[in-house]
Amino acid sequence: DLRPRLRSFNGVGEKIELYSFSKSEFEYAYLVRDIEDKISQGVNPEEIAVFYRYNRDSEPLIRSFEKTLIPFVVESDQNILSDKDIENLITIFKTIENFGNDELLLRCMYIDVFDIDPLDIYKLANFSWRSRTPISDILSSRGRLAKAILSGEDKLYSFYKKISAWKKTSRNKPLLDFFEIVVRESGMLDHLLSGDLALEKIEKLSGLFEDLKTLIENHRSYDLEKFLQYMDLLEEHGVSVRKNVRGSVPGSVHLMTAHRSKGLEFDYIYIINAYDTHWGNNRSIEHFKIYAPSPLDGSFEKIDDERRLFYVALTRARIGVNISYSKEDENGKSRLPSQFIEEISKEFIKEGDVSEYEKKFENEKFKIFAPRAEVRAPVKDKKFLNMIFFEQGLSVTALNNFLECPWNFFYSNLLRVPKVPNKFIMFGSAVHGALSHFFDALKIQGECSKNTLIRLYEDKLRKEPLTDKDLDEMTQKGKRVLSGYYDKYISSCQKNVFNEFKVSIFFDAGVGEGPLRLTGNLDKIEILNGAGEVNVVDYKTGKPKSRNEIEGKTKNSNGNYKRQLVFYNMLLDNYENKKFRMVSGEIDFVEPDQKGEYHKEKFVVSVEDIKKLEEEIKNSAKEIMDLAFWNRYCSDKKCEYCRMRKKCLS
């Protein structure tokens, strides 16, 4: 036997517990019960991890955990299409696209965001059958609705009017705009934000949004019909849309693939589905391969990779390891244990007797149908929000958002609620990208033509999810703006530069258990001399501002642009032993004024500017950590973020 024997070199510890169940449902039920027992005995949930081989293994596992009060976090990619709220959203889209389809209308009415009484839905369907009148015709007429004798007539009529209006919107608005309108007007966004595990739900919504955005970037003519055809195709072929979803609660059991476990350690680990062909001996079809396998054909190398992965999973535990598998699959076919289990010396394994447990579980099978356990929504949990804040750190954009409206910061930066960028934001993004690549090329080549700059801009713009009309408009605008910008500055521009320079430092904000991470992405750093002195440039699209507006000295200005330069100065002062010394910062307005003149405003950041910013960061961080902003709103009476706070987190 050429297979290596796996042995521990850390002395004698707890034996590996091995459990073989007759069916997978017993395996999952035992797993959650054993973890519940450990937690009740005082084990910290954060010190427990469950490892599986493939991302798809997480779905039945998640369903088992959802029926318990065990806090857990899935640290592998999840299929967002299996989420019930995402399914409901797609049903709404299908109802809109197939406007007038009675079956879809009925399914859509049951979605909880519409708050329609199920008895009314039954009465409506019954009245439709008796009167031989399509449901869409009944809903469109208050007179017909009255004849159905419904308690929620107004809700049903309002539901119909929404679907009807969204149908028109789907034909007259870009698909991304339509997506956002339906998500907000249907109440789905408020529902996700106010419900259990809001952060996880928003991450899944963002995943669907990003997938749609990618489709539009590659196929500009994409409409609702094509998107739903794409969804149907995924469902038909069993293809999932997988995203890494945040949403952990502090003190959570970790669920992850064995690959994700590398470099981590836990007190207790569980390795599930440890049967042959799942862990090791994976079958793959190789057409026309007529020669016998040899040590040189790669098959041994593949099994060694699998073995190393299993070994990695085994060695993540400090105290205890639990390995389990089921002897039958869902179709009753027999399974064998993974060959890697056989390679562990018997002296290190303790086989558990599951017969009594399986008998007990047979009498409690009703628990399979138990509803999802209610877990406190982490979005309202102070410890949870503090953890997210420290994980993400603070950028100057997030700081500016917080100072203007704490709920803009909360929803845009902490929860990251998806929002459709308008054509001007996409224009600005394309301009920034083009200038970055242009100055990179100029640094290397020494010269670069105006046509190159325009081409770079057009390439960037084509990747944005713009309509054909907006693409044409922004293309012409970009050509005009960048052509003049090139003529104005090409002869005097600095070529020794760093573009899109990412900086991250740690700052003692006086809160939490350690320093706060501050992050920044500097548009351009111009190297002025060999002593490390630099000028930092930040590009701005839109109407040029006066110096007083930039500094926040006018009535309606906020000082965000100046604060941005001070923030960058603070970052560079603490970056890699003061590798760079920022002697000036420059706001570079890429668009000309009404007279066609281009403007730059240069500032020297003072010690007082830095001190003021440090105090703003400390005060803001303290408010965020203490949730002192929870009942504070901004001065804008029409603020969408404050509205969401009042509606979703009351």
Side-chain angles (χ1 to χ4, degrees):
D1 187 356
L2 298 176
R3 295 177 300 185
R5 296 290 173 180
L6 303 179
R7 301 179 65 91
S8 170
F9 292 94
N10 292 326
V12 178
E14 295 290 330
K15 288 190 175 184
I16 296 170
E17 296 183 29
L18 176 64
Y19 295 92
S20 56
F21 297 89
S22 59
K23 298 177 182 178
S24 59
E25 62 189 53
F26 295 142
E27 181 181 4
Y28 292 123
Y30 168 79
L31 172 70
V32 295
R33 177 70 62 83
D34 197 60
I35 290 175
E36 283 178 327
D37 289 345
K38 280 186 169 57
I39 293 172
S40 68
Q41 293 164 13
V43 176
N44 184 346
E46 290 183 353
E47 291 298 336
I48 301 173
V50 182
F51 300 153
Y52 37 86
R53 181 64 184 86
Y54 301 106
N55 281 315
R56 63 177 180 268
D57 296 341
S58 68
E59 292 174 21
L61 190 61
I62 291 170
R63 289 195 292 271
S64 297
F65 270 85
E66 285 179 340
K67 298 179 189 300
T68 74
L69 290 173
I70 300 172
F72 68 95
V73 54
V74 183
E75 297 184 10
S76 59
D77 293 345
Q78 298 182 51
N79 179 17
I80 61 176
L81 298 183
S82 65
D83 182 87
K84 188 61 184 175
D85 288 311
I86 298 297
E87 287 180 9
N88 285 342
L89 181 59
I90 292 172
T91 296
I92 294 173
F93 289 151
K94 287 181 177 179
T95 305
I96 295 166
E97 176 60 25
N98 299 279
F99 185 63
N101 182 305
D102 281 3
E103 181 183 349
L104 283 170
L105 277 170
L106 286 171
R107 282 175 56 193
C108 196
M109 285 180 211
Y110 280 107
I111 296 174
D112 46 9
V113 296
F114 297 116
D115 192 29
I116 297 173
D117 188 340
L119 183 59
D120 275 350
I121 300 173
Y122 168 77
K123 287 180 178 179
L124 179 65
N126 185 264
F127 179 73
S128 170
W129 179 79
R130 286 189 291 104
S131 64
R132 301 188 183 280
T133 307
I135 287 174
S136 54
D137 287 353
I138 299 170
L139 290 172
S140 66
S141 167
R142 280 198 174 274
R144 294 192 186 99
L145 276 171
K147 292 178 182 178
I149 314 175
L150 308 169
S151 62
E153 181 183 318
D154 289 342
K155 285 184 179 179
L156 284 161
Y157 186 70
S158 174
F159 165 79
Y160 174 82
K161 297 296 285 184
K162 283 181 179 178
I163 299 293
S164 177
W166 292 333
K167 179 65 177 180
K168 291 180 182 177
T169 302
S170 72
R171 292 292 184 263
N172 294 285
K173 288 278 189 180
L175 185 53
L176 277 182
D177 290 350
F178 164 79
F179 181 98
E180 184 177 35
I181 288 168
V182 173
V183 167
R184 290 178 182 272
E185 290 185 357
S186 66
M188 182 62 76
L189 181 60
D190 290 345
H191 167 73
L192 298 181
L193 289 171
S194 58
D196 186 23
L197 300 178
L199 179 62
E200 178 182 329
K201 294 289 187 178
I202 291 300
E203 287 283 306
K204 290 177 178 178
L205 179 66
S206 297
L208 183 64
F209 178 81
E210 289 301 320
D211 204 50
L212 176 58
K213 188 177 176 183
T214 301
L215 289 169
I216 295 171
E217 287 169 359
N218 295 324
H219 308 280
R220 199 165 301 282
S221 62
Y222 232 73
D223 57 15
L224 180 59
E225 181 183 11
K226 290 188 177 75
F227 174 63
L228 292 174
Q229 287 173 353
Y230 168 72
M231 289 287 109
D232 289 340
L233 196 63
L234 294 182
E235 183 179 359
E236 180 184 345
H237 294 281
V239 178
S240 57
V241 177
R242 295 196 169 272
K243 303 290 179 184
N244 186 21
V245 177
R246 299 180 301 162
S248 63
V249 183
S252 299
V253 173
H254 303 266
L255 314 184
M256 66 180 73
T257 61
H259 276 107
R260 288 281 178 100
S261 73
K262 292 179 181 179
L264 303 176
E265 284 189 344
F266 305 92
D267 286 349
Y268 297 92
I269 66 110
Y270 294 79
I271 300 174
I272 63 170
N273 295 328
Y275 58 87
D276 199 43
T277 72
H278 198 72
W279 285 89
N281 282 333
N282 293 329
R283 296 173 183 172
S284 60
I285 299 173
E286 299 189 45
H287 299 288
F288 309 116
K289 192 167 184 176
I290 59 175
Y291 57 88
S294 76
L296 302 178
D297 71 356
S299 59
F300 285 171
E301 183 179 338
K302 184 175 181 181
I303 198 68
D304 278 346
D305 288 342
E306 288 280 312
R307 181 179 290 109
R308 279 190 287 269
L309 182 62
F310 191 79
Y311 178 75
V312 165
L314 273 179
T315 54
R316 299 307 91 197
R318 301 188 192 96
I319 299 175
V321 177
N322 183 305
I323 302 175
S324 63
Y325 69 96
S326 56
K327 297 176 183 177
E328 285 186 1
D329 66 12
E330 294 76 9
N331 300 315
K333 292 182 65 176
S334 297
R335 287 171 171 167
L336 295 173
S338 166
Q339 70 176 79
F340 305 139
I341 295 175
E342 301 297 318
E343 294 173 6
I344 303 173
S345 297
K346 298 297 183 185
E347 62 187 288
F348 299 126
I349 291 182
K350 173 187 174 183
E351 292 195 46
D353 182 5
V354 300
S355 56
E356 288 300 318
Y357 178 80
E358 290 195 358
K359 287 178 185 176
K360 182 179 179 182
F361 183 77
E362 279 287 358
N363 297 324
E364 299 178 353
K365 265 198 169 181
F366 63 89
K367 291 185 177 180
I368 294 175
F369 307 103
R372 176 175 177 157
E374 288 297 322
V375 181
R376 181 177 57 170
V379 75
K380 299 178 182 178
D381 184 81
K382 179 180 176 182
K383 187 178 178 183
F384 171 74
L385 292 174
N386 288 347
M387 181 190 73
I388 293 296
F389 177 53
F390 262 78
E391 279 183 359
Q392 294 179 181
L394 187 69
S395 68
V396 68
T397 301
L399 176 62
N400 283 338
N401 284 343
F402 182 80
L403 293 173
E404 280 192 21
C405 174
W407 294 105
N408 183 0
F409 164 80
F410 183 83
Y411 288 114
S412 299
N413 303 106
L414 272 187
L415 297 194
R416 300 176 186 171
V417 174
K419 188 173 178 63
V420 179
N422 61 40
K423 61 184 178 182
F424 300 109
I425 292 176
M426 289 187 265
F427 163 76
S429 177
V431 166
H432 276 69
L435 288 173
S436 174
H437 281 73
F438 175 79
F439 283 111
D440 279 341
L442 192 64
K443 178 180 180 179
I444 296 169
Q445 300 169 11
E447 59 180 30
C448 228
S449 69
K450 183 192 297 185
N451 286 338
T452 298
L453 176 59
I454 300 300
R455 179 177 53 78
L456 287 169
Y457 167 74
E458 290 175 334
D459 288 345
K460 292 290 181 182
L461 193 66
R462 275 193 292 269
K463 294 178 181 178
E464 298 290 341
L466 289 158
T467 63
D468 289 334
K469 179 183 176 183
D470 288 343
L471 176 64
D472 183 62
E473 179 188 346
M474 292 299 108
T475 298
Q476 297 308 314
K477 179 178 181 176
K479 285 181 177 179
R480 183 178 68 255
V481 165
L482 291 175
S483 179
Y485 183 89
Y486 180 94
D487 292 339
K488 174 73 175 180
Y489 296 118
I490 188 60
S491 61
S492 60
C493 68
Q494 174 66 256
K495 296 179 182 178
N496 188 11
V497 299
F498 292 104
N499 297 292
E500 297 291 335
F501 192 81
K502 291 179 172 57
V503 184
S504 177
I505 68 165
F506 287 95
F507 172 71
D508 184 7
V511 294
E513 298 179 358
L516 175 65
R517 188 165 62 94
L518 304 181
T519 64
N521 188 15
L522 286 59
D523 287 343
K524 184 168 68 173
I525 295 180
E526 297 178 340
I527 310 300
L528 302 180
N529 53 45
E533 292 184 336
V534 300
N535 176 56
V536 172
V537 178
D538 194 74
Y539 304 123
K540 298 296 180 188
T541 52
K543 180 183 175 182
K545 296 180 183 294
S546 69
R547 195 171 183 86
N548 283 338
E549 284 180 294
I550 292 171
E551 293 190 281
K553 293 180 179 179
T554 60
K555 182 179 179 180
N556 296 317
S557 59
N558 50 32
N560 284 353
Y561 285 7
K562 176 67 180 293
R563 186 180 295 109
Q564 196 166 353
L565 294 179
V566 179
F567 194 92
Y568 292 160
N569 195 321
M570 185 175 167
L571 291 179
L572 291 181
D573 278 351
N574 295 275
Y575 175 71
E576 291 190 3
N577 297 319
K578 299 184 183 293
K579 180 179 180 179
F580 299 115
R581 187 167 75 85
M582 179 175 157
V583 297
S584 58
E586 193 170 65
I587 300 296
D588 186 353
F589 294 101
V590 181
E591 293 187 57
D593 61 20
Q594 292 180 338
K595 297 179 180 179
E597 296 294 326
Y598 288 83
H599 297 267
K600 292 183 180 182
E601 292 292 343
K602 185 173 287 188
F603 296 86
V604 175
V605 176
S606 67
V607 174
E608 288 72 24
D609 291 331
I610 296 288
K611 287 182 178 179
K612 179 183 176 183
L613 176 63
E614 287 179 345
E615 285 303 308
E616 286 179 326
I617 293 173
K618 288 178 180 179
N619 292 336
S620 297
K622 189 175 189 312
E623 280 196 66
I624 293 166
M625 294 291 288
D626 293 341
L627 300 189
F629 65 89
W630 202 257
N631 293 311
R632 179 162 64 85
Y633 303 96
C634 71
S635 58
D636 182 1
K637 301 298 182 184
K638 297 181 180 180
C639 177
E640 174 67 12
Y641 302 105
C642 290
R643 184 205 67 79
M644 285 195 288
R645 156 64 179 94
K646 292 172 184 175
K647 186 173 179 64
C648 304
L649 297 175
S650 56

